[in-house]
């Protein structure tokens, strides 16, 4: 008789996180080491509250739809486990013992890997045989030690397409109406998503003209001069703004005045702040777009590369765990750009936990207001291909499970 496994999703979602779930579930079904694969509802909360579903009870058709469904089908969470003395550990391991759990797969980002690391360490401290593997996920692409993360490629594709179409729109209206278009992207400390909008220019250069990155302190004078240059040359200016841009004094250009459960300042509306500056100080008509959740759950425009790698990350997590490995996260190591090839490797959870991977200097233009050719070469394979969801009545047919308690 083998052990059982539990999988859970945590943190901000992506359009391909359920593809990783699919990889875990299908591989667990095939594994001789895993009897049952449970999914916890709403992340670690589902374990604490014993809100688990046995995936063998789901119809095959619903499991197949996981590949196409965005966001978290099973619910996510932002719950932080404080330290080794947190009484929550007792509850978690009582549930693990009750369900004969020998494998724990946690699918998330920086803070989620901290939780996985603490559970792994606690298991060792009480001599409980538990194999813990983290599965990467974040549209922000800011997990250290991995070339990229599932979710980023699809969000990059969505944002590049969005700013391309928005730039064409403002160009058409610029003669005697709107002169500036601003698109705000996610990205608390790292500018990967904002940078990805530059992919809009790889076919025809409609925009963006300017990209504001968190790694570069916001210089209003330089920014305004650049806008005027593009309006003089092209008649309009298209701008991508990361939500995490900061002034030289390290204060955010815009935050909402409160923090999330992990103590992070809640960001938002940096694009609106920038738009107001441009309108009020340059006297230009500006249109602003804040895609917010749309950029991370736009599954209709997901990248084929991203979906396939998300599934593979889930499969590799099961492979590594059933081979006796624990306390690591699956990482991607790029072998080559052309042809594009990656290897799946491992890195210790304690090195991933709470870390941040910033956009490197060689990816940022000399004036700090755009990206380099090196970034375009890095990003291009990640947005390649399409994996279109099934449509019904003209709308994507996504999986909805009535499983919440």
């Amino acid at each position: 008789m083998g052990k059982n496994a539990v999988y859970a999703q945590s943190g901000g979602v992506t359009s391909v996180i359920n593809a990783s779930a699919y990889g875990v579930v299908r591989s667990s079904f095939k594994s001789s080491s895993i009897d049952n694969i449970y999914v916890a509802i709403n992340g670690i909360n589902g374990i604490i509250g014993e809100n688990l579903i046995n995936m063998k009870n789901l119809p095959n058709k619903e499991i197949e739809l996981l590949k196409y469904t965005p966001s978290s089908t099973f619910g996510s969470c932002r719950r932080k486990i404080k330290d080794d003395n947190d009484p929550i550990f007792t509850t978690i391991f009582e549930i693990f013992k009750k369900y004969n759990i020998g494998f724990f797969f946690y699918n998330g980002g920086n803070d989620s890997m901290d939780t996985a690391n603490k559970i792994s360490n606690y298991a060792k401290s009480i001599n409980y045989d538990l194999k813990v593997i983290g599965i990467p996920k974040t549209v922000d692409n800011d997990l250290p030690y991995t070339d990229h993360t599932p979710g980023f490629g699809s969000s990059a594709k969505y944002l590049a397409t969005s700013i391309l179409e928005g730039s064409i729109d403002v160009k058409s209206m610029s003669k005697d109406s709107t002169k500036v278009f601003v698109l705000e992207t996610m990205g608390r400390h790292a500018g990967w998503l904002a940078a990805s909008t530059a992919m809009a220019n790889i076919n025809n250069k409609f925009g963006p003209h300017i990209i504001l990155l968190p790694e570069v302190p916001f210089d209003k004078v330089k920014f305004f001069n650049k806008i005027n240059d593009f309006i003089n040359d092209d008649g309009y200016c298209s701008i991508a703004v990361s939500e995490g841009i900061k002034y030289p004094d390290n204060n955010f250009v815009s935050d909402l005045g409160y923090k999330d459960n992990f103590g992070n300042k809640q960001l938002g509306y940096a694009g609106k702040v920038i738009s107001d500056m441009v309108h009020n100080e340059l006297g230009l008509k500006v249109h602003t777009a804040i895609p917010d959740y749309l950029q991370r759950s736009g599954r209709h425009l997901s990248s084929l590369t991203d979906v396939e790698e998300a599934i593979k990350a889930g499969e590799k997590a099961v492979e590594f765990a059933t081979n006796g490995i624990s306390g690591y996260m699956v990482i991607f190591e790029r072998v080559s750009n052309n042809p594009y090839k990656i290897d799946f490797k491992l890195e210790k959870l304690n090195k991933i936990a709470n870390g941040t991977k910033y956009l490197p200097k060689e990816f940022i233009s000399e004036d700090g207001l755009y990206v380099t050719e090196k970034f375009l070469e890095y990003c291009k394979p990640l947005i390649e291909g399409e994996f279109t969801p099934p449509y019904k009545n003209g709308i994507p047919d996504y999986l909805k499970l009535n499983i919440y308690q």
Side-chain angles (χ1 to χ4, degrees), residues 128-394:
Y128 183 92
D129 185 14
L130 181 71
K131 302 299 182 286
V132 180
I133 297 291
I135 303 168
K137 172 270 341 165
T138 175
V139 297
D140 292 337
N141 200 39
D142 61 354
L143 294 189
Y145 301 101
T146 184
D147 178 79
H148 58 280
T149 53
F152 170 68
S154 293
S155 287
K157 190 180 186 81
Y158 181 95
L159 288 168
T161 303
S162 297
I163 203 162
L164 169 63
E165 294 170 346
S167 298
I168 293 172
D169 192 306
V170 71
K171 174 178 169 61
S172 70
M173 301 298 295
S174 62
K175 182 66 176 177
D176 57 8
S177 183
T178 309
K179 297 286 188 184
V180 178
F181 175 67
V182 175
L183 177 78
E184 179 187 307
T185 76
M186 290 180 171
R188 173 175 299 278
H189 298 301
W192 297 95
L193 279 178
S196 74
T197 62
M199 302 307 293
N201 284 321
I202 60 177
N203 294 333
N204 293 298
K205 295 184 177 181
F206 289 103
H209 299 93
I210 298 171
I211 301 174
L212 299 181
L213 303 163
E215 289 85 353
V216 181
F218 176 62
D219 183 329
K220 186 167 69 172
V221 173
K222 183 191 288 187
F223 173 58
F224 280 179
N225 287 339
K226 201 76 171 179
I227 291 174
N228 285 325
D229 287 344
F230 280 114
I231 289 178
N232 289 334
D233 291 343
D234 297 341
Y236 71 104
C237 185
S238 175
I239 304 164
V241 179
S242 172
E243 65 177 352
I245 59 170
K246 294 180 178 181
Y247 291 111
D249 63 4
N250 210 38
N251 285 317
F252 288 110
V253 168
S254 178
D255 73 69
L256 301 183
Y258 60 92
K259 297 181 179 180
D260 64 19
N261 290 343
F262 288 104
N264 299 314
K265 283 188 175 181
Q266 186 65 46
L267 302 182
Y269 301 107
K272 184 66 168 62
V273 171
I274 292 298
S275 295
D276 288 346
M277 281 185 195
V278 173
H279 173 71
N280 294 333
E281 299 187 42
L282 296 183
L284 299 170
K285 185 177 179 181
V286 185
H287 271 245
T288 312
I290 304 178
D292 197 52
Y293 280 6
L294 304 180
Q295 68 199 275
R296 71 187 196 189
S297 290
R299 179 59 185 81
H300 64 288
L301 201 57
S302 286
S303 141
L304 176 61
T305 298
D306 199 21
V307 176
E308 290 180 339
E309 290 182 347
I311 293 172
K312 195 69 176 177
E315 293 173 346
K316 283 292 182 180
V318 174
E319 178 186 321
F320 288 135
T322 53
N323 282 328
I325 295 170
S326 183
Y328 289 82
M329 186 187 81
V330 178
I331 64 168
F332 300 171
E333 183 179 279
R334 191 173 302 214
V335 177
S336 63
N337 278 332
N338 190 20
Y340 173 65
K341 186 179 185 301
I342 62 165
D343 283 340
F344 292 87
K345 299 290 184 69
L346 291 163
E347 187 53 78
K348 290 183 178 179
L349 288 169
N350 63 1
K351 293 177 71 173
I352 304 290
N354 302 312
T356 300
K357 179 184 70 179
Y358 299 99
L359 202 67
K361 287 183 179 179
E362 62 264 29
F363 284 179
I364 303 172
S365 65
E366 190 174 338
D367 66 2
L369 295 173
Y370 203 70
V371 297
T372 63
E373 190 65 32
K374 282 188 177 180
F375 173 79
L376 301 180
E377 292 171 0
Y378 163 86
C379 195
K380 188 175 183 294
L382 308 183
I383 67 170
E384 288 283 358
E386 291 73 46
F387 197 87
T388 308
Y391 277 71
K392 184 179 179 180
N393 298 318

Side-chain angles (χ1 to χ4, degrees), residues 50-192:
E50 199 176 344
N51 192 1
L52 308 173
I53 59 171
N54 189 331
M55 294 302 289
K56 286 185 178 178
N57 295 331
L58 261 64
N60 183 66
K61 180 181 178 181
E62 292 187 350
I63 292 173
E64 288 300 311
L65 275 177
L66 282 171
K67 291 183 293 186
Y68 301 99
T69 302
S71 188
S72 175
T73 292
F74 308 106
S76 188
C77 71
R78 289 195 185 277
R79 182 163 188 164
K80 186 175 182 67
I81 297 179
K82 296 176 183 177
D83 52 47
D84 293 344
N85 297 317
D86 195 322
I88 288 298
F89 282 113
T90 302
T91 303
I92 290 171
F93 279 83
E94 284 176 353
I95 299 299
F96 282 171
K97 291 173 185 176
K98 179 177 178 178
Y99 285 82
N100 193 30
I101 301 298
F103 304 93
F104 175 52
F105 304 107
Y106 212 35
N107 199 172
N110 319 65
D111 296 316
S112 305
M113 293 308 119
D114 179 60
T115 296
N117 184 53
K118 287 173 178 173
I119 289 175
S120 178
N121 290 339
Y122 191 84
K124 292 175 186 176
S125 73
I126 63 170
N127 295 315
Y128 183 92
D129 185 14
L130 181 71
K131 302 299 182 286
V132 180
I133 297 291
I135 303 168
K137 172 270 341 165
T138 175
V139 297
D140 292 337
N141 200 39
D142 61 354
L143 294 189
Y145 301 101
T146 184
D147 178 79
H148 58 280
T149 53
F152 170 68
S154 293
S155 287
K157 190 180 186 81
Y158 181 95
L159 288 168
T161 303
S162 297
I163 203 162
L164 169 63
E165 294 170 346
S167 298
I168 293 172
D169 192 306
V170 71
K171 174 178 169 61
S172 70
M173 301 298 295
S174 62
K175 182 66 176 177
D176 57 8
S177 183
T178 309
K179 297 286 188 184
V180 178
F181 175 67
V182 175
L183 177 78
E184 179 187 307
T185 76
M186 290 180 171
R188 173 175 299 278
H189 298 301
W192 297 95

Side-chain angles (χ1 to χ4, degrees), residues 1-5 24-39 52-63 66 74 401:
M1 180 179 177
K3 292 279 190 176
N4 295 325
V24 170
V25 171
R26 284 298 183 203
S27 291
S28 295
F29 284 169
K30 296 174 184 177
S31 174
S32 60
S33 301
I34 299 175
D35 287 344
N36 294 287
I37 172 69
Y38 294 93
V39 171
L52 308 173
I53 59 171
N54 189 331
M55 294 302 289
K56 286 185 178 178
N57 295 331
L58 261 64
N60 183 66
K61 180 181 178 181
E62 292 187 350
I63 292 173
L66 282 171
F74 308 106
L401 298 179

